[in-house]
Amino acid sequence: MTLTLTGRARTSAPASAPAPEATATAPAPRRAAGREADGLAVASFVLGLVGLLAFNLLLGPTAIVMALLSLARRTRRPGRAYLGLALGVADLAVLAVLVTVNGTVSWNLGG
């Protein structure tokens, strides 16, 4: 059994043109960056939501930073990034209220 290629001529690319391998691998980092930005948007939303109940001193600023990073990297989920940003700011507002009312950084649900 013999395999032959017929009808295909080999042409060499000009020296100034980029190699086909370089252009074929270029879209892969963009997709990875897009997925990473989407993951940051979702993570900022979740951390901001959890931060309303616990660890708002740590999770609030983390949610804000992750939301800003995902927006800077042009996420496909900007709504979640904006919600994460708003929830991170709300975490800090809840923390400020707790500090002024109770004089402590902890929740006080009992009387």
Side-chain angles (χ1 to χ4, degrees):
M1 175 184 240
T2 316
L3 295 175
T4 59
L5 292 174
T6 57
R8 289 189 181 185
R10 279 191 124 166
T11 59
S12 61
S16 64
E21 294 84 21
T23 57
T25 58
R30 289 184 195 158
R31 285 189 206 144
R35 285 185 181 170
E36 182 180 317
D38 291 345
L40 283 171
V42 172
S44 70
F45 172 71
V46 170
L47 289 178
L49 198 60
V50 171
L52 287 175
L53 301 175
F55 299 116
N56 34 4
L57 180 63
L58 177 69
L59 296 180
T62 305
I64 292 171
V65 169
M66 290 177 112
L68 291 175
L69 280 175
S70 67
L71 288 171
R73 293 180 184 177
R74 307 231 183 233
T75 181
R76 290 178 288 178
R77 298 177 177 183
R80 290 210 179 130
Y82 285 123
L83 281 173
L85 183 64
L87 287 170
V89 171
D91 290 346
L92 295 179
V94 167
L95 178 67
V97 168
L98 286 174
V99 168
T100 56
V101 171
N102 292 340
T104 183
V105 184
S106 63
W107 287 90
N108 187 7
L109 298 176

